[in-house]
Amino acid sequence: MLCLAPAACDGGVHGTPGGAGVRDPYFPRAGNGGYDVGHYGLTLAYDPGTRRLTGTAVITARATKDLTAFDLDLQGLDVDDVTVEGRRARWNRAGQELTVRPHDDLDRGETFATTVRYSGRPETLTDPDGSEEGWLPTADGALALGEPVGSMAWFPGNDHPSDKASYDITVTVPEGLQAVSNGELKSETTKNGRTTFAWHTAEPMATYLAMVAVGHYTITRSTLPDGLPVYTAVDPTQAEASRAVLAKLPEIVEWEAYNFGPYPFSSTGAVVDRPDDAGYALETQNRPVFPGAPDTATLVHELAHEWYGDSVTPRTWRDMWLNEGFATYAEWLWAEDHGGRTAQQTFDRLYAGSADSDLWAFPPAAPSSAAHISDRPVYDRGAMVLQKIRQKVGDGTFYDVIQGWAAAHRHGNADTAEFTAYVEKTAPGKDFTEIWKDWLYGDGKPPRP
């Protein structure tokens, strides 16, 4: 599909196209080259009756090279109009790529705003591992989830974790429904049978962590002792089952801040939908999403991602263990501090399992394919790497490592090589060669030390 607009560039061509994809090792088409997004302004309207979404996305970005064209990720939906800096741009579609050719070339370092108007019935995407993401219709609304590449089903963007931005997400729905998103609710207005909810996320957020939940929710607002706002939205069918565990949220956030360092965002909370609405919990920024009432361990896990995954975000999808290994280890630490098994006992039980267990299918730092980036080695064996570090350096230095890591890369991106270098720098007198070789990158079950 090609949209012809007024003539292209004035003067001679001095740039090149930005390029589709950032060569992620597991999702090579994800993301785009040539620019860095600073802010997404999304204005959405959704009608659950027709399942129709109407959107306007204003994407403010900085060119990282001279550009004659650039790509945005957008799967499905119909593009109605594209402008760059207020002037109509030529554009075309090919798969998930929306290629935009602005009226004038963009200079390296130039900040520019792209406005995309679009509409249609957003798609539910199936990941390589069989799970569903993107736009998930529910009994009374919809749930938009983005890991790893689902955000492109409901807004155009640079859909890769390496490009984080601030967000304003405004959602209009039929009166009587709520629309919940990331960050803080700035306004709620009703007019002509429609209610508009305006949400603002100031801290940088990866596209896969953006979320919208539309439906009937019981809303609870509170603050933690330090003044941090808490906003929870619970499907009424899950309210009773969720009450006790959500009451622990303040304690969990306080405990995690003690162990991991200051909470990295300006609000917290949770969204609890019905069990069939999604097949997994997800660490969407500020307020994780749960399919039904979570247990305590799952709440600990998803809230730990606010530090490890949401604030310190993987540079590529190969680095998923830096999310999931840390969040799983948070569960181990919680149990250790609350009358359960010690982290070492949990480690020993896992190690004692069969040598051909799926735990040893591949090393945590090198998943075998895109279909396996959320498999057990990334979670449990990733946590075992952290326990091996703790064994090596002792508790004092270990907490220096995990707190310092969260502080050093706060609101940024990092990869596994940066993590191993950070550990070695924090504990210069220790030799981590065996841990990296056998536990982080090694195939099969490591020998008992």
Side-chain angles (χ1 to χ4, degrees):
M1 181 166 56
L2 177 67
C3 176
L4 297 176
C9 308
D10 295 331
V13 175
H14 65 274
T16 57
V22 293
R23 299 183 181 179
D24 185 272
Y26 298 117
F27 297 91
R29 292 189 300 165
N32 303 284
Y35 64 93
D36 179 71
V37 179
H39 182 74
Y40 289 95
L42 307 179
T43 303
L44 310 174
Y46 183 66
D47 185 345
T50 62
R51 295 188 178 180
R52 182 174 176 81
L53 178 72
T54 302
T56 299
V58 180
I59 304 155
T60 305
R62 178 180 57 84
T64 57
K65 58 184 286 190
D66 293 340
L67 290 174
T68 59
F70 57 91
D71 281 28
L72 298 167
D73 296 303
L74 183 65
Q75 179 69 39
L77 298 170
D78 299 318
V79 174
D80 303 315
D81 182 63
V82 181
T83 62
V84 178
E85 287 296 284
R87 304 190 72 173
R88 293 189 68 191
R90 293 186 294 168
W91 55 268
N92 67 280
R93 304 286 299 277
Q96 72 183 54
E97 300 299 328
L98 169 60
T99 302
V100 178
R101 185 175 296 276
H103 183 279
D104 301 303
D105 289 352
L106 300 169
D107 296 327
R108 179 179 179 180
E110 180 179 351
T111 298
F112 61 99
T114 303
T115 300
V116 182
R117 295 177 176 84
Y118 58 100
S119 59
R121 296 184 69 167
E123 297 181 8
T124 298
L125 309 180
T126 300
D127 294 332
D129 66 1
S131 60
E132 292 186 332
E133 59 166 335
W135 195 268
L136 310 178
T138 63
D140 57 355
L143 190 57
L145 300 176
E147 188 178 25
V149 291
S151 71
M152 66 180 177
W154 56 283
F155 69 92
N158 197 16
D159 195 8
H160 190 264
S162 60
D163 192 0
K164 301 167 72 170
S166 60
Y167 283 71
D168 282 285
I169 301 178
T170 300
V171 188
T172 299
V173 295
E175 185 177 0
L177 296 178
Q178 283 88 31
V180 182
S181 190
N182 311 87
E184 290 76 59
L185 181 63
K186 294 302 181 181
S187 66
E188 177 183 338
T189 57
T190 300
K191 183 179 180 181
N192 299 327
R194 310 276 288 176
T195 303
T196 300
F197 299 82
W199 294 87
H200 175 66
T201 303
E203 297 90 355
M205 179 168 69
T207 51
Y208 81 92
L209 298 170
M211 170 273 295
V212 168
V214 175
H216 295 287
Y217 296 104
T218 300
I219 305 297
T220 303
R221 297 176 176 88
S222 61
T223 56
L224 299 187
D226 63 358
L228 184 73
V230 182
Y231 186 102
T232 61
V234 181
D235 187 284
T237 66
Q238 306 301 308
E240 183 60 33
S242 300
R243 186 170 292 112
V245 69
L246 290 181
K248 298 180 182 179
L249 188 149
E251 177 190 1
I252 292 170
V253 172
E254 182 180 9
W255 176 86
E256 292 186 336
Y258 177 80
N259 284 280
F260 308 144
Y263 182 78
F265 300 112
S266 51
S267 66
T268 189
V271 175
V272 180
D273 236 312
R274 303 183 190 192
D276 294 336
D277 290 344
Y280 50 86
L282 188 63
E283 63 269 21
T284 43
Q285 194 158 304
N286 300 99
R287 53 191 52 83
V289 172
F290 300 93
D295 58 22
T296 300
T298 303
L299 186 58
V300 168
H301 181 109
E302 300 304 333
L303 288 172
H305 277 308
E306 299 296 308
W307 285 261
Y308 308 110
D310 295 9
S311 177
V312 185
T313 302
R315 196 172 301 282
T316 76
W317 288 110
R318 177 179 284 150
D319 305 301
M320 270 283 283
W321 85 274
L322 291 171
N323 293 14
E324 302 301 348
F326 272 80
T328 300
Y329 196 74
E331 296 181 54
W332 296 12
L333 289 177
W334 175 270
E336 180 174 279
D337 285 355
H338 293 82
R341 295 188 188 96
T342 66
Q344 186 60 49
Q345 287 171 333
T346 302
F347 178 101
D348 291 339
R349 286 172 64 91
L350 288 170
Y351 187 86
S354 172
D356 60 359
S357 165
D358 58 356
L359 177 61
W360 315 110
F362 56 81
S368 53
S369 71
H372 299 291
I373 62 169
S374 295
D375 280 7
R376 192 180 175 198
V378 174
Y379 289 68
D380 288 343
R381 191 167 166 184
M384 294 176 88
V385 170
L386 297 178
Q387 179 61 15
K388 293 299 296 182
I389 296 170
R390 185 180 178 188
Q391 288 176 339
K392 174 72 72 173
V393 303
D395 278 11
T397 301
F398 177 73
Y399 282 98
D400 288 344
V401 167
I402 62 174
Q403 292 177 11
W405 175 250
H409 296 278
R410 182 180 175 94
H411 301 317
N413 295 88
D415 60 25
T416 300
E418 289 172 289
F419 176 72
T420 56
Y422 186 86
V423 172
E424 291 170 355
K425 179 181 177 181
T426 308
K430 302 294 184 180
D431 183 3
F432 297 93
T433 304
E434 204 170 273
I435 296 175
W436 307 150
K437 179 175 69 73
D438 294 340
W439 292 91
L440 186 56
Y441 288 105
D443 291 320
K445 185 175 183 178
R448 184 72 182 180

